[in-house]
Amino acid sequence: MRVRRWASAFANLEALFLLSLAIYLFARSVTSDVEELDAVIAEIIFLIAGATGLFFAGRGILRGKRYGRGPIVMANLIALGVAYYMIDGDRISWGITLGAVAITTAGLAIAAIPHQIGGNGSTSL
């Protein structure tokens, strides 16, 4: 149960970060001159959708459901790729931080074993 709580907490932390980034991009696009407004709007929508997905996946892991693990692992595999390109682009501290959080969250999601349904229909850990 403790691993599921940690996995859910990390997924919710990532969701909060994505939502904060969407709010930042929105505020930045309102207060400055944006050349590619359609691209910024698409990115904001993508960030909000990703945050919503991570939030619900984290909630699923906390409740012991199977649907939470896969999306969290996939999102963090993508984050590992982003971390690699950050490190390659001389943003080493950002890349290492993102990579560490992604590895930790993906590892916790993999370790968060959902409820198993026994032969008699009972639910147990």
Side-chain angles (χ1 to χ4, degrees):
M1 181 71 172
R2 184 179 303 172
V3 173
R4 288 200 311 257
R5 281 191 199 147
W6 278 103
S8 176
F10 269 80
N12 288 332
L13 180 70
E14 288 179 339
L16 183 62
F17 176 75
L18 292 178
L19 192 58
S20 300
L21 188 56
I23 291 169
Y24 168 77
L25 284 177
F26 177 76
R28 182 83 173 169
S29 64
V30 168
T31 60
S32 65
D33 212 11
V34 178
E35 292 181 21
E36 300 288 336
L37 185 61
D38 53 344
V40 173
I41 291 171
E43 192 168 351
I44 291 169
I45 291 170
F46 182 75
L47 287 168
I48 291 171
T52 303
L54 279 172
F55 171 74
F56 281 113
R59 190 171 153 206
I61 277 189
L62 189 61
R63 294 174 57 208
K65 303 296 181 181
R66 295 190 177 275
Y67 63 81
R69 296 170 72 195
I72 292 174
V73 172
M74 291 301 294
N76 283 286
L77 289 175
I78 292 169
L80 277 176
V82 172
Y84 170 79
Y85 283 108
M86 285 178 139
I87 292 169
D88 194 42
D90 290 333
R91 298 196 183 273
I92 295 171
S93 61
W94 283 101
I96 289 173
T97 303
L98 178 61
V101 170
I103 288 172
T104 302
T105 307
L108 286 168
I110 290 169
I113 306 297
H115 292 295
Q116 300 295 323
I117 297 177
N120 60 3
S122 66
T123 304
S124 65
L125 291 175

